[in-house]
mmCIF file of all heavy atoms in Angstrom:
data_model
loop_
_atom_site.group_PDB
_atom_site.id
_atom_site.type_symbol
_atom_site.label_atom_id
_atom_site.label_comp_id
_atom_site.label_asym_id
_atom_site.label_seq_id
_atom_site.Cartn_x
_atom_site.Cartn_y
_atom_site.Cartn_z
ATOM 1 N N GLY A 1 51.439 125.641 -29.131
ATOM 2 C CA GLY A 1 52.692 126.355 -28.910
ATOM 3 C C GLY A 1 53.379 126.035 -27.604
ATOM 4 O O GLY A 1 54.436 126.597 -27.312
ATOM 5 N N GLN A 2 52.798 125.144 -26.794
ATOM 6 C CA GLN A 2 53.379 124.794 -25.505
ATOM 7 C C GLN A 2 53.789 123.325 -25.502
ATOM 8 O O GLN A 2 53.034 122.456 -25.955
ATOM 9 C CB GLN A 2 52.373 125.047 -24.367
ATOM 10 C CG GLN A 2 51.905 126.494 -24.252
ATOM 11 C CD GLN A 2 53.046 127.443 -23.926
ATOM 12 O OE1 GLN A 2 53.905 127.130 -23.094
ATOM 13 N NE2 GLN A 2 53.064 128.612 -24.562
ATOM 14 N N VAL A 3 54.980 123.057 -24.974
ATOM 15 C CA VAL A 3 55.473 121.690 -24.902
ATOM 16 C C VAL A 3 54.977 121.031 -23.630
ATOM 17 O O VAL A 3 54.758 121.704 -22.607
ATOM 18 C CB VAL A 3 57.016 121.672 -24.966
ATOM 19 C CG1 VAL A 3 57.635 122.266 -23.710
ATOM 20 C CG2 VAL A 3 57.536 120.266 -25.221
ATOM 21 N N ASP A 4 54.762 119.734 -23.680
ATOM 22 C CA ASP A 4 54.153 119.035 -22.546
ATOM 23 C C ASP A 4 55.118 118.717 -21.415
ATOM 24 O O ASP A 4 54.708 118.282 -20.343
ATOM 25 C CB ASP A 4 53.494 117.738 -23.022
ATOM 26 C CG ASP A 4 54.507 116.751 -23.617
ATOM 27 O OD1 ASP A 4 55.636 117.181 -23.924
ATOM 28 O OD2 ASP A 4 54.163 115.565 -23.778
ATOM 29 N N ARG A 5 56.431 118.920 -21.642
ATOM 30 C CA ARG A 5 57.406 118.652 -20.586
ATOM 31 C C ARG A 5 58.464 119.735 -20.570
ATOM 32 O O ARG A 5 58.725 120.375 -21.585
ATOM 33 C CB ARG A 5 58.070 117.284 -20.787
ATOM 34 C CG ARG A 5 57.182 116.103 -20.420
ATOM 35 C CD ARG A 5 57.960 114.811 -20.495
ATOM 36 N NE ARG A 5 58.195 114.384 -21.865
ATOM 37 C CZ ARG A 5 59.114 113.492 -22.214
ATOM 38 N NH1 ARG A 5 59.931 112.994 -21.300
ATOM 39 N NH2 ARG A 5 59.239 113.125 -23.468
ATOM 40 N N VAL A 6 59.086 119.900 -19.408
ATOM 41 C CA VAL A 6 60.117 120.924 -19.276
ATOM 42 C C VAL A 6 61.438 120.380 -19.819
ATOM 43 O O VAL A 6 61.623 119.174 -19.982
ATOM 44 C CB VAL A 6 60.297 121.341 -17.797
ATOM 45 C CG1 VAL A 6 59.016 121.951 -17.273
ATOM 46 C CG2 VAL A 6 60.719 120.152 -16.940
ATOM 47 N N GLY A 7 62.352 121.296 -20.088
ATOM 48 C CA GLY A 7 63.693 120.910 -20.495
ATOM 49 C C GLY A 7 63.984 121.097 -21.965
ATOM 50 O O GLY A 7 65.148 121.157 -22.354
ATOM 51 N N MET A 8 62.949 121.176 -22.790
ATOM 52 C CA MET A 8 63.166 121.348 -24.227
ATOM 53 C C MET A 8 63.488 122.803 -24.533
ATOM 54 O O MET A 8 62.748 123.704 -24.118
ATOM 55 C CB MET A 8 61.938 120.909 -25.007
ATOM 56 C CG MET A 8 62.098 121.019 -26.524
ATOM 57 S SD MET A 8 63.441 120.009 -27.215
ATOM 58 C CE MET A 8 62.871 118.358 -26.771
ATOM 59 N N PRO A 9 64.572 123.100 -25.236
ATOM 60 C CA PRO A 9 64.908 124.496 -25.570
ATOM 61 C C PRO A 9 63.768 125.168 -26.329
ATOM 62 O O PRO A 9 63.185 124.589 -27.249
ATOM 63 C CB PRO A 9 66.159 124.348 -26.447
ATOM 64 C CG PRO A 9 66.763 123.040 -26.049
ATOM 65 C CD PRO A 9 65.612 122.157 -25.726
ATOM 66 N N GLN A 10 63.484 126.399 -25.946
ATOM 67 C CA GLN A 10 62.371 127.126 -26.547
ATOM 68 C C GLN A 10 62.528 127.364 -28.051
ATOM 69 O O GLN A 10 61.522 127.326 -28.773
ATOM 70 C CB GLN A 10 62.163 128.457 -25.819
ATOM 71 C CG GLN A 10 61.487 128.302 -24.467
ATOM 72 C CD GLN A 10 60.146 127.603 -24.593
ATOM 73 O OE1 GLN A 10 59.275 128.006 -25.373
ATOM 74 N NE2 GLN A 10 59.966 126.530 -23.834
ATOM 75 N N PRO A 11 63.721 127.616 -28.569
ATOM 76 C CA PRO A 11 63.835 127.772 -30.031
ATOM 77 C C PRO A 11 63.324 126.552 -30.794
ATOM 78 O O PRO A 11 62.727 126.694 -31.862
ATOM 79 C CB PRO A 11 65.336 127.992 -30.251
ATOM 80 C CG PRO A 11 65.811 128.596 -28.975
ATOM 81 C CD PRO A 11 65.015 127.929 -27.907
ATOM 82 N N VAL A 12 63.552 125.372 -30.247
ATOM 83 C CA VAL A 12 63.069 124.145 -30.893
ATOM 84 C C VAL A 12 61.546 124.106 -30.844
ATOM 85 O O VAL A 12 60.879 123.788 -31.833
ATOM 86 C CB VAL A 12 63.672 122.897 -30.213
ATOM 87 C CG1 VAL A 12 63.094 121.624 -30.826
ATOM 88 C CG2 VAL A 12 65.190 122.899 -30.317
ATOM 89 N N VAL A 13 60.979 124.445 -29.684
ATOM 90 C CA VAL A 13 59.524 124.445 -29.526
ATOM 91 C C VAL A 13 58.887 125.461 -30.465
ATOM 92 O O VAL A 13 57.881 125.170 -31.132
ATOM 93 C CB VAL A 13 59.142 124.743 -28.063
ATOM 94 C CG1 VAL A 13 57.618 124.825 -27.912
ATOM 95 C CG2 VAL A 13 59.717 123.683 -27.122
ATOM 96 N N ARG A 14 59.458 126.651 -30.543
ATOM 97 C CA ARG A 14 58.886 127.695 -31.403
ATOM 98 C C ARG A 14 58.947 127.309 -32.883
ATOM 99 O O ARG A 14 58.037 127.630 -33.656
ATOM 100 C CB ARG A 14 59.622 129.018 -31.164
ATOM 101 C CG ARG A 14 59.288 129.681 -29.825
ATOM 102 C CD ARG A 14 59.750 131.128 -29.821
ATOM 103 N NE ARG A 14 61.198 131.220 -29.897
ATOM 104 C CZ ARG A 14 61.996 131.303 -28.833
ATOM 105 N NH1 ARG A 14 61.461 131.280 -27.602
ATOM 106 N NH2 ARG A 14 63.296 131.410 -28.955
ATOM 107 N N THR A 15 59.997 126.615 -33.271
ATOM 108 C CA THR A 15 60.110 126.191 -34.674
ATOM 109 C C THR A 15 58.965 125.253 -35.052
ATOM 110 O O THR A 15 58.329 125.414 -36.097
ATOM 111 C CB THR A 15 61.463 125.494 -34.911
ATOM 112 O OG1 THR A 15 62.521 126.413 -34.634
ATOM 113 C CG2 THR A 15 61.582 125.011 -36.347
ATOM 114 N N VAL A 16 58.700 124.288 -34.184
ATOM 115 C CA VAL A 16 57.615 123.342 -34.466
ATOM 116 C C VAL A 16 56.259 124.036 -34.398
ATOM 117 O O VAL A 16 55.384 123.809 -35.246
ATOM 118 C CB VAL A 16 57.676 122.160 -33.472
ATOM 119 C CG1 VAL A 16 56.446 121.271 -33.630
ATOM 120 C CG2 VAL A 16 58.937 121.338 -33.694
ATOM 121 N N ALA A 17 56.077 124.880 -33.397
ATOM 122 C CA ALA A 17 54.799 125.580 -33.237
ATOM 123 C C ALA A 17 54.505 126.492 -34.427
ATOM 124 O O ALA A 17 53.332 126.727 -34.760
ATOM 125 C CB ALA A 17 54.803 126.392 -31.943
ATOM 126 N N ALA A 18 55.546 126.978 -35.076
ATOM 127 C CA ALA A 18 55.370 127.854 -36.240
ATOM 128 C C ALA A 18 55.087 127.067 -37.515
ATOM 129 O O ALA A 18 54.920 127.657 -38.580
ATOM 130 C CB ALA A 18 56.612 128.718 -36.434
ATOM 131 N N GLY A 19 55.026 125.743 -37.399
ATOM 132 C CA GLY A 19 54.703 124.926 -38.565
ATOM 133 C C GLY A 19 55.901 124.491 -39.380
ATOM 134 O O GLY A 19 55.741 124.083 -40.534
ATOM 135 N N ASN A 20 57.075 124.557 -38.784
ATOM 136 C CA ASN A 20 58.295 124.175 -39.497
ATOM 137 C C ASN A 20 58.927 122.935 -38.873
ATOM 138 O O ASN A 20 58.749 122.660 -37.684
ATOM 139 C CB ASN A 20 59.316 125.319 -39.465
ATOM 140 C CG ASN A 20 58.767 126.580 -40.099
ATOM 141 O OD1 ASN A 20 58.176 126.534 -41.180
ATOM 142 N ND2 ASN A 20 58.960 127.717 -39.430
ATOM 143 N N GLU A 21 59.660 122.209 -39.701
ATOM 144 C CA GLU A 21 60.384 121.056 -39.180
ATOM 145 C C GLU A 21 61.651 121.510 -38.458
ATOM 146 O O GLU A 21 62.253 122.527 -38.818
ATOM 147 C CB GLU A 21 60.761 120.088 -40.304
ATOM 148 C CG GLU A 21 59.595 119.326 -40.887
ATOM 149 C CD GLU A 21 60.059 118.216 -41.827
ATOM 150 O OE1 GLU A 21 61.274 118.184 -42.155
ATOM 151 O OE2 GLU A 21 59.215 117.399 -42.221
ATOM 152 N N VAL A 22 62.035 120.738 -37.480
ATOM 153 C CA VAL A 22 63.298 120.985 -36.779
ATOM 154 C C VAL A 22 64.366 120.121 -37.444
ATOM 155 O O VAL A 22 64.290 118.888 -37.409
ATOM 156 C CB VAL A 22 63.188 120.630 -35.281
ATOM 157 C CG1 VAL A 22 64.550 120.788 -34.604
ATOM 158 C CG2 VAL A 22 62.152 121.504 -34.608
ATOM 159 N N VAL A 23 65.307 120.782 -38.068
ATOM 160 C CA VAL A 23 66.418 120.053 -38.689
ATOM 161 C C VAL A 23 67.190 119.339 -37.585
ATOM 162 O O VAL A 23 67.466 119.924 -36.536
ATOM 163 C CB VAL A 23 67.334 121.017 -39.457
ATOM 164 C CG1 VAL A 23 68.520 120.266 -40.056
ATOM 165 C CG2 VAL A 23 66.554 121.747 -40.537
ATOM 166 N N PRO A 24 67.508 118.051 -37.771
ATOM 167 C CA PRO A 24 68.224 117.310 -36.716
ATOM 168 C C PRO A 24 69.458 118.062 -36.240
ATOM 169 O O PRO A 24 70.275 118.516 -37.044
ATOM 170 C CB PRO A 24 68.584 115.993 -37.407
ATOM 171 C CG PRO A 24 67.556 115.821 -38.459
ATOM 172 C CD PRO A 24 67.239 117.203 -38.948
ATOM 173 N N ARG A 25 69.568 118.172 -34.927
ATOM 174 C CA ARG A 25 70.687 118.897 -34.337
ATOM 175 C C ARG A 25 70.979 118.344 -32.953
ATOM 176 O O ARG A 25 70.151 117.645 -32.361
ATOM 177 C CB ARG A 25 70.371 120.387 -34.241
ATOM 178 C CG ARG A 25 69.250 120.713 -33.249
ATOM 179 C CD ARG A 25 68.766 122.141 -33.347
ATOM 180 N NE ARG A 25 68.050 122.377 -34.604
ATOM 181 C CZ ARG A 25 67.395 123.520 -34.857
ATOM 182 N NH1 ARG A 25 67.401 124.506 -33.968
ATOM 183 N NH2 ARG A 25 66.759 123.662 -36.005
ATOM 184 N N ILE A 26 72.148 118.669 -32.458
ATOM 185 C CA ILE A 26 72.536 118.276 -31.103
ATOM 186 C C ILE A 26 72.265 119.443 -30.167
ATOM 187 O O ILE A 26 72.779 120.545 -30.379
ATOM 188 C CB ILE A 26 74.025 117.876 -31.029
ATOM 189 C CG1 ILE A 26 74.333 116.727 -31.999
ATOM 190 C CG2 ILE A 26 74.413 117.490 -29.616
ATOM 191 C CD1 ILE A 26 73.660 115.430 -31.658
ATOM 192 N N VAL A 27 71.439 119.221 -29.149
ATOM 193 C CA VAL A 27 71.123 120.260 -28.164
ATOM 194 C C VAL A 27 71.103 119.626 -26.774
ATOM 195 O O VAL A 27 71.094 118.396 -26.642
ATOM 196 C CB VAL A 27 69.757 120.923 -28.457
ATOM 197 C CG1 VAL A 27 69.747 121.595 -29.819
ATOM 198 C CG2 VAL A 27 68.624 119.915 -28.350
ATOM 199 N N LYS A 28 71.051 120.481 -25.764
ATOM 200 C CA LYS A 28 70.904 120.001 -24.389
ATOM 201 C C LYS A 28 69.432 120.013 -24.019
ATOM 202 O O LYS A 28 68.772 121.047 -24.082
ATOM 203 C CB LYS A 28 71.705 120.865 -23.421
ATOM 204 C CG LYS A 28 73.171 120.469 -23.322
ATOM 205 C CD LYS A 28 73.832 121.098 -22.103
ATOM 206 C CE LYS A 28 75.244 120.554 -21.944
ATOM 207 N NZ LYS A 28 75.884 121.096 -20.719
ATOM 208 N N VAL A 29 68.932 118.846 -23.655
ATOM 209 C CA VAL A 29 67.543 118.702 -23.238
ATOM 210 C C VAL A 29 67.526 118.239 -21.794
ATOM 211 O O VAL A 29 67.977 117.131 -21.483
ATOM 212 C CB VAL A 29 66.789 117.691 -24.134
ATOM 213 C CG1 VAL A 29 65.343 117.550 -23.665
ATOM 214 C CG2 VAL A 29 66.838 118.122 -25.591
ATOM 215 N N ASP A 30 67.026 119.108 -20.914
ATOM 216 C CA ASP A 30 66.976 118.789 -19.486
ATOM 217 C C ASP A 30 68.350 118.383 -18.966
ATOM 218 O O ASP A 30 68.492 117.437 -18.190
ATOM 219 C CB ASP A 30 65.959 117.679 -19.238
ATOM 220 C CG ASP A 30 65.507 117.622 -17.777
ATOM 221 O OD1 ASP A 30 65.685 118.630 -17.058
ATOM 222 O OD2 ASP A 30 64.989 116.569 -17.370
ATOM 223 N N GLY A 31 69.381 119.090 -19.448
ATOM 224 C CA GLY A 31 70.736 118.852 -18.982
ATOM 225 C C GLY A 31 71.471 117.730 -19.674
ATOM 226 O O GLY A 31 72.638 117.476 -19.361
ATOM 227 N N ARG A 32 70.822 117.053 -20.610
ATOM 228 C CA ARG A 32 71.469 115.939 -21.324
ATOM 229 C C ARG A 32 71.693 116.311 -22.781
ATOM 230 O O ARG A 32 70.854 116.971 -23.387
ATOM 231 C CB ARG A 32 70.616 114.676 -21.252
ATOM 232 C CG ARG A 32 70.411 114.127 -19.843
ATOM 233 C CD ARG A 32 69.585 112.852 -19.894
ATOM 234 N NE ARG A 32 68.273 113.078 -20.487
ATOM 235 C CZ ARG A 32 67.449 112.109 -20.867
ATOM 236 N NH1 ARG A 32 67.836 110.837 -20.762
ATOM 237 N NH2 ARG A 32 66.264 112.388 -21.379
ATOM 238 N N VAL A 33 72.803 115.863 -23.327
ATOM 239 C CA VAL A 33 73.092 116.094 -24.741
ATOM 240 C C VAL A 33 72.274 115.097 -25.558
ATOM 241 O O VAL A 33 72.388 113.881 -25.376
ATOM 242 C CB VAL A 33 74.593 115.928 -25.041
ATOM 243 C CG1 VAL A 33 74.858 116.086 -26.535
ATOM 244 C CG2 VAL A 33 75.407 116.930 -24.246
ATOM 245 N N ARG A 34 71.427 115.639 -26.451
ATOM 246 C CA ARG A 34 70.526 114.783 -27.215
ATOM 247 C C ARG A 34 70.497 115.187 -28.684
ATOM 248 O O ARG A 34 70.769 116.347 -29.043
ATOM 249 C CB ARG A 34 69.094 114.883 -26.667
ATOM 250 C CG ARG A 34 68.967 114.625 -25.178
ATOM 251 C CD ARG A 34 69.130 113.164 -24.847
ATOM 252 N NE ARG A 34 67.925 112.395 -25.192
ATOM 253 C CZ ARG A 34 67.831 111.087 -25.064
ATOM 254 N NH1 ARG A 34 68.870 110.374 -24.648
ATOM 255 N NH2 ARG A 34 66.703 110.459 -25.382
ATOM 256 N N LEU A 35 70.186 114.210 -29.531
ATOM 257 C CA LEU A 35 69.907 114.470 -30.939
ATOM 258 C C LEU A 35 68.416 114.747 -31.049
ATOM 259 O O LEU A 35 67.597 113.946 -30.597
ATOM 260 C CB LEU A 35 70.292 113.275 -31.799
ATOM 261 C CG LEU A 35 69.958 113.348 -33.287
ATOM 262 C CD1 LEU A 35 70.690 114.505 -33.957
ATOM 263 C CD2 LEU A 35 70.289 112.037 -33.986
ATOM 264 N N VAL A 36 68.054 115.881 -31.658
ATOM 265 C CA VAL A 36 66.660 116.337 -31.670
ATOM 266 C C VAL A 36 66.193 116.526 -33.106
ATOM 267 O O VAL A 36 66.931 117.024 -33.962
ATOM 268 C CB VAL A 36 66.509 117.661 -30.892
ATOM 269 C CG1 VAL A 36 65.109 118.232 -31.053
ATOM 270 C CG2 VAL A 36 66.811 117.440 -29.427
ATOM 271 N N ALA A 37 64.952 116.122 -33.363
ATOM 272 C CA ALA A 37 64.289 116.386 -34.645
ATOM 273 C C ALA A 37 62.812 116.606 -34.351
ATOM 274 O O ALA A 37 62.275 116.077 -33.372
ATOM 275 C CB ALA A 37 64.474 115.236 -35.623
ATOM 276 N N GLY A 38 62.141 117.407 -35.168
ATOM 277 C CA GLY A 38 60.731 117.687 -34.916
ATOM 278 C C GLY A 38 59.964 117.938 -36.192
ATOM 279 O O GLY A 38 60.545 118.227 -37.243
ATOM 280 N N ALA A 39 58.647 117.809 -36.084
ATOM 281 C CA ALA A 39 57.781 118.043 -37.240
ATOM 282 C C ALA A 39 56.434 118.572 -36.752
ATOM 283 O O ALA A 39 55.945 118.154 -35.701
ATOM 284 C CB ALA A 39 57.587 116.756 -38.037
#
C-alpha cells in the first residue's frame, strides 16, 4: 500500500493497492503533468 517514491497522487496509489487497475489519466506527478496507468 506504500509507493516507493514521493509525488504520486494518493488516489492513484490507493487504487492499485486495493487491487484495481488505474484507468489511464492525466495527473500531476511531482509537479509535472503526466499520463498515468497502473495495475
Side-chain angles (χ1 to χ4, degrees):
Q2 300 297 318
V3 69
D4 63 344
R5 285 187 285 163
V6 298
M8 182 61 62
Q10 284 303 307
V12 176
V13 177
R14 287 195 295 267
T15 299
V16 172
N20 301 314
E21 289 190 350
V22 175
V23 178
R25 67 191 69 172
I26 302 294
V27 299
K28 276 195 173 183
V29 179
D30 199 19
R32 297 182 300 168
V33 176
R34 307 287 284 177
L35 175 62
V36 173

